Amino acid sequence: SPFAFGLLENVVYEKLPYYAFRELDAQLTWKQKFRTRRYLHLLFRLANYQQPVRIIYADAHPLELAYLKSACPHAMLCNIETGDALKAWQESEKNPDECGENQLVFLGAPRENVVKVCSAHTMLVLANVHEHKGWWEGVPAVVGFDLYDAGIAFFDPHYQPQRYVVNF
């Protein structure tokens, strides 16, 4: 599909450096620069692509949050554990498909209750998708990308239903 091709070419496989990479990468240890920098850059590009109003997260490493937030500084961070996310959903999700607010849901590990609140304007990112294959395959996404290090799901019913396994 054109959507999947565009996402892969312009976001997932993008090689150009972004404005915040130098400052963010300076926080990484030598080992992290070689093992996780590529994944963290992907998170940044995904948040930059989605431009969410809310970044809802659970089980996120501080570095993952730093890259997500730097890509979208205006986004409200909502932690599932503290109940911030529930408040945000109750206040603004009267009808998420009508209000058209993009949100990004980032999970370090599967959370059953999160999928229920995903709307057509939600991008769900699951870290270490290969460790959670059973849960990932049960996510009712319209379009899903399995990148081995991360899973990306979209719920917009206008897209053609498809699951992709991508070499990242």
Side-chain angles (χ1 to χ4, degrees):
S1 84
F3 162 73
F5 179 79
L7 183 77
L8 292 174
E9 283 297 310
N10 301 322
V11 179
V12 174
Y13 291 132
E14 178 65 57
K15 298 286 186 216
L16 296 174
Y18 280 75
Y19 52 89
F21 284 173
R22 182 177 295 169
E23 182 180 320
L24 289 167
D25 290 349
Q27 301 172 29
L28 301 176
T29 65
W30 182 83
K31 190 176 183 180
Q32 289 171 327
K33 286 182 182 179
F34 291 100
R35 290 193 164 197
T36 60
R37 180 174 52 184
R38 184 175 163 193
Y39 162 71
L40 293 170
H41 285 191
L42 172 66
L43 291 179
F44 180 94
R45 291 191 306 269
L46 288 170
N48 189 52
Y49 170 80
Q50 183 72 359
Q51 288 298 305
V53 171
R54 282 176 305 285
I55 298 173
I56 299 164
Y57 67 93
D59 304 314
H61 188 278
L63 281 173
E64 293 167 329
L65 287 178
Y67 277 78
L68 289 169
K69 185 66 177 163
S70 292
C72 217
H74 68 276
M76 177 179 28
L77 282 177
C78 303
N79 187 340
I80 290 172
E81 282 90 12
T82 62
D84 293 345
L86 184 58
K87 287 181 205 168
W89 291 327
Q90 289 172 342
E91 291 171 6
S92 66
E93 296 281 345
K94 295 172 183 88
N95 190 336
D97 293 328
E98 286 180 14
C99 68
E101 292 181 344
N102 287 341
Q103 65 182 7
L104 188 147
V105 177
F106 176 81
L107 301 175
R111 295 287 179 129
E112 295 303 323
N113 59 344
V114 171
V115 176
K116 295 175 188 171
V117 296
C118 291
S119 72
H121 301 284
T122 302
M123 174 194 293
L124 171 71
V125 179
L126 175 65
N128 301 315
V129 72
H130 64 279
E131 293 177 9
H132 311 290
K133 276 286 193 201
W135 186 85
W136 179 250
E137 290 169 0
V139 171
V142 176
V143 179
F145 298 88
D146 179 345
L147 306 177
Y148 189 76
D149 287 333
I152 307 166
F154 293 90
F155 299 87
D156 191 340
H158 294 100
Y159 295 144
Q160 184 70 28
Q162 187 67 38
R163 294 287 181 136
Y164 299 96
V165 177
V166 180
N167 185 12
F168 175 67

